[in-house]
Amino acid sequence: MKSSGSQKRRKPKIIPRPAHNVSRAEISKSALKVLYRLHKAGFQAFLVGGGVRDALLELHPKDFDIATNAHPEEVRALFGNCRLIGRRFRLAHIRFGREVIEVATFRAPADGNDKHVDVAHDHEGRILRDNVYGSIDEDVWRRDFTCNALYYNIADFSIWDYVGGVKDIENRRIVVIGDARKRLREDPVRMLRAVRFAAKLDFRIDAKIIEAIGELTDLLANVPAARLFDEFLKLFQTGYAEKTFALLRKHNLFAQLFRETDDELESDDNFLRFVTAAVRNSDKRVAADQSVTPMFLIGVFLWAPVRRLAEKLRSKEKMSESQSLAVAAYQVSGLQQPRISLPKRFTAPMREMLAMQPRFLVMKGKRALKLLEHRRFRAAYDFMMLRVSVGELEGKVGQFWTDVQKQDAQHRAASFQIGPKPGTKQRRRRPRRRRAAPARES
Ligand code: ATP
Ligand code: MG
């Protein structure tokens, strides 16, 4: 630890503007506004994290984090549109329309010095609270990976690199700052972050991290379930879900998030193909700027465990398939809550989407026709088509529901074998009478 202490006093390598490719054109106007205003007020102001990293990689960053020596209250005093948030970290959020710029005050590392009284760990080494302000050359050591620890200085547009982040970005490597085991223990979510950045940036994860992950996956169980839900969104809704999913499985992390799903994936290749098709599809939607809802992927992940439990329920009690799926979805998502807390606004529609699945097999009559008007029809239809794509349902079922959506009312009625209302009864009655007649004769 002594050696890392002396490391911590190291001066940054300062890369002047002409020697790097981070241009202000790549930084959002709002982020620039915040940086300039802090600077003019006499504070240090740096863009840090994903904004600098992605700009260096020419990936057009969308999210901008700012680090400053101004304290949160001082930040708030400078901006009318500012809110202070967070318990574990106190942060300033500055809002510009839909864009939020996050401003964090430099923090001192969790270990070390007695002046840092406001730091707490749990017995596994996880940091519970660290609201101790510091200077930039302290702040850098509490960041997770070298590629995330570059600071772009608004004063002269230079980049400050304390940890060799520029080189690691050039070599496309995720490297942890400090001792891998210790840093992953401090915050087990960093294991997920390593995988997320590797997938997004197409970087290799450094062997030390992989080794540490191999020992520490269980620690994710100690992370608050609400935080894991936030991380779930970043893992699966930002356009790199397919690769992220494969990497999470490879490093035995997926099982920590969705245990029952992982068990099913191990034993059922079709389910693996189903989930893979879903994450790939979700990436395509993100790439095409279409909306993605977490309830869809949650439904996909829970589908095999739900189906299994539904069968069990039906073997014990008399229940319709829809009912059993609804009950099973309720129970399985309940089992999920201690790991990843799934908000009700997602689990409720997810349950509907799963329970609707048997209704796609009924392609005749008014109730079937009514399915088209169900508020979850779109999601349930997409889900059903995914099942078709892996051979879980016959192609003609998918074809039917695809076709009827394009039909006008008359054709639709015919497709669902619903006759026109007036006359239907008469036509039915007449043949009955005719049938009855010969019976009387004989
Ligand atoms: P992106 O925004 O693309 O997901 P990011 O690197 O900006 O990536 P954020 O979660 O926005 O990630 O965090 C901003 C920065 O804060 C990170 O780059 C990193 O320096 C630091 N940071 C965030 N989370 C952690 C963590 N769990 N441990 C250590 N440092 C972190
Ligand atoms: Mg960010």
Side-chain angles (χ1 to χ4, degrees):
M1 287 298 106
K2 283 244 166 66
S3 69
S4 85
S6 62
Q7 241 184 4
K8 284 177 187 175
R9 260 171 262 122
R10 214 162 52 188
K11 288 257 172 302
K13 182 172 169 197
I14 294 180
I15 303 146
R17 174 61 187 97
H20 67 73
N21 66 343
V22 176
S23 130
R24 268 166 292 164
E26 287 295 310
I27 304 171
S28 83
K29 290 221 166 62
S30 323
L32 285 172
K33 226 185 252 174
V34 175
L35 286 164
Y36 281 128
R37 193 175 300 174
L38 285 165
H39 177 61
K40 281 202 188 113
F43 297 108
Q44 287 182 306
F46 293 85
L47 185 68
V48 66
V52 185
R53 179 196 69 216
D54 291 356
L56 278 170
L57 287 162
E58 294 174 357
L59 284 177
H60 310 303
K62 288 195 199 81
D63 174 58
F64 298 93
D65 304 294
I66 289 172
T68 178
N69 59 352
H71 283 200
E73 293 72 23
E74 293 173 314
V75 176
R76 184 166 53 186
L78 282 176
F79 299 92
N81 43 345
C82 175
R83 234 161 43 96
L84 300 190
I85 60 139
R87 237 156 53 100
R88 183 163 174 262
F89 302 119
R90 245 172 115 62
L91 298 168
H93 272 184
I94 304 172
R95 184 174 282 282
F96 297 86
R98 289 174 62 193
E99 194 180 5
V100 174
I101 305 294
E102 192 166 286
V103 181
T105 305
F106 295 138
R107 279 185 181 74
D111 61 334
N113 217 305
D114 350 314
K115 73 169 181 185
H116 300 149
V117 284
D118 197 15
V119 174
H121 291 83
D122 72 2
H123 51 269
E124 302 283 6
R126 186 165 64 94
I127 297 179
L128 300 175
R129 205 164 13 85
D130 63 347
N131 260 325
V132 182
Y133 303 128
S135 61
I136 182 169
D137 48 296
E138 290 177 297
D139 186 85
V140 60
W141 307 104
R142 36 164 302 281
R143 298 196 174 264
D144 47 6
F145 307 114
T146 57
C147 62
N148 286 346
L150 296 170
Y151 296 76
Y152 170 90
N153 187 1
I154 200 64
D156 61 3
F157 317 122
S158 63
I159 289 175
W160 292 21
D161 182 2
Y162 288 83
V163 292
V166 170
K167 196 158 149 277
D168 287 333
I169 286 177
E170 275 166 15
N171 294 331
R172 308 188 82 80
R173 276 154 43 100
I174 307 287
V175 178
V176 83
I177 298 174
D179 178 66
R181 242 178 238 101
K182 176 168 177 266
R183 299 306 312 284
L184 299 188
R185 269 181 187 284
E186 276 175 7
D187 181 4
V189 170
R190 289 174 187 152
M191 297 190 261
L192 303 176
R193 288 174 58 86
V195 162
R196 174 154 72 84
F197 295 128
K200 170 180 166 172
L201 307 171
D202 200 17
F203 278 23
R204 271 191 312 128
I205 305 176
D206 187 46
K208 286 190 186 120
I209 301 179
I210 292 178
E211 206 176 291
I213 290 178
E215 293 168 21
L216 302 175
T217 50
D218 287 353
L219 295 184
L220 278 170
N222 304 337
V223 175
R227 186 159 173 230
L228 286 185
F229 180 72
D230 292 344
E231 196 58 32
F232 164 84
L233 297 179
K234 292 187 188 167
L235 288 164
F236 290 107
Q237 304 239 92
T238 51
Y240 306 90
E242 187 181 0
K243 238 174 126 193
T244 302
F245 172 65
L247 276 178
L248 286 174
R249 292 245 301 146
K250 180 174 167 192
H251 297 294
N252 194 26
L253 288 162
F254 189 75
Q256 302 300 322
L257 305 177
F258 292 92
R259 171 79 66 204
E260 286 75 19
T261 304
D262 198 69
D263 290 345
E264 298 282 349
L265 289 167
E266 289 297 321
S267 61
D268 181 352
D269 274 352
N270 263 345
F271 182 51
L272 177 60
R273 287 202 298 134
F274 175 71
V275 175
T276 306
V279 284
R280 184 175 303 152
N281 204 40
S282 165
D283 289 344
K284 273 197 204 133
R285 290 185 66 96
V286 174
D289 251 338
Q290 290 173 299
S291 67
V292 282
T293 154
M295 78 96 171
F296 190 83
L297 269 192
I298 295 168
V300 166
F301 288 163
L302 301 188
W303 179 232
V306 166
R307 219 173 22 184
R308 184 181 293 279
L309 179 60
E311 270 169 37
K312 219 162 120 191
L313 290 169
R314 285 201 303 279
S315 73
K316 282 198 209 137
E317 296 175 52
K318 210 166 167 259
M319 258 193 217
S320 76
E321 206 178 338
S322 277
Q323 266 176 329
S324 68
L325 284 169
V327 174
Y330 187 80
Q331 292 186 6
V332 170
S333 55
L335 282 177
Q336 199 51 54
Q337 298 299 350
R339 293 205 166 249
I340 298 192
S341 67
L342 306 172
K344 226 188 192 150
R345 66 180 187 282
F346 299 128
T347 54
M350 181 274 287
R351 291 201 305 266
E352 281 185 273
M353 176 177 81
L354 300 193
M356 278 165 79
Q357 292 305 307
R359 291 184 61 182
F360 285 105
L361 292 173
V362 183
M363 288 170 274
K364 164 167 135 178
K366 283 188 193 154
R367 187 170 142 78
L369 172 67
K370 271 207 121 147
L371 192 60
L372 289 167
E373 289 160 30
H374 196 291
R375 59 187 176 149
R376 302 286 169 226
F377 175 79
R378 191 69 226 177
Y381 164 81
D382 287 344
F383 194 92
M384 180 274 294
M385 290 305 281
L386 212 55
R387 297 174 63 206
V388 170
S389 78
V390 297
E392 198 181 304
L393 287 178
E394 281 185 78
K396 66 177 190 205
V397 177
Q399 197 59 54
F400 176 87
W401 290 99
T402 305
D403 291 344
V404 291
Q405 289 179 70
K406 295 176 212 142
Q407 291 169 348
D408 60 26
Q410 212 180 346
H411 284 93
R412 234 181 227 179
S415 296
F416 285 96
Q417 301 178 38
I418 303 167
K421 254 187 189 165
T424 322
K425 281 183 184 169
Q426 282 177 347
R427 243 182 270 136
R428 262 192 210 150
R429 266 183 209 150
R430 251 181 251 132
R432 258 186 233 144
R433 266 188 225 122
R434 254 183 247 134
R435 249 185 265 130
R440 248 181 270 140
E441 267 166 31
S442 65

